[in-house]
Amino acid sequence: MMCPRCQAELAIEHHAGIEVDHCKQCNGRWLDFHELDALEASTVPDADARKGMITYAKRDSELNCPVCAKRMVAFNYRANPLELD
């Protein structure tokens, strides 16, 4: 799979038993929905209580999904400065 930001090939890595696609060129990561859920379940205490806080500041992304090629939506993850597309 190709990186949606810089078009470099994504390398597969494993973190906490979860498959993560990593771009060695721009240092981006790609997680499928189920992978993000699994990662969050392993690291966020009481994730169910925080599910309503998952997205802040939604906006159109300039990137297309590397899986389906549709335009993605960008947002700040759980009110942190971490931007996800």
Side-chain angles (χ1 to χ4, degrees):
M1 181 168 27
M2 305 307 280
C3 176
R5 185 162 307 279
C6 68
Q7 303 307 310
E9 184 73 29
L10 296 176
I12 296 173
E13 297 179 348
H14 291 88
H15 297 280
I18 300 160
E19 186 175 288
V20 177
D21 298 291
H22 174 224
C23 179
K24 294 181 180 182
Q25 186 167 313
C26 71
N27 205 29
R29 305 289 194 283
W30 176 264
L31 291 99
D32 294 318
F33 286 118
H34 70 279
E35 294 164 344
L36 182 59
D37 284 344
L39 181 62
E40 184 171 69
S42 71
T43 60
V44 176
D46 197 16
D48 286 335
R50 297 182 63 195
K51 290 236 185 240
M53 298 172 42
I54 198 162
T55 62
Y56 281 89
K58 280 187 180 180
R59 61 203 165 279
D60 291 336
S61 173
E62 70 276 3
L63 303 175
N64 293 329
C65 173
V67 175
C68 70
K70 292 181 181 175
R71 187 57 53 119
M72 293 191 284
V73 173
F75 60 92
N76 288 12
Y77 182 70
R78 295 205 181 276
N80 291 306
L82 174 63
E83 182 178 282
L84 298 180
D85 290 279

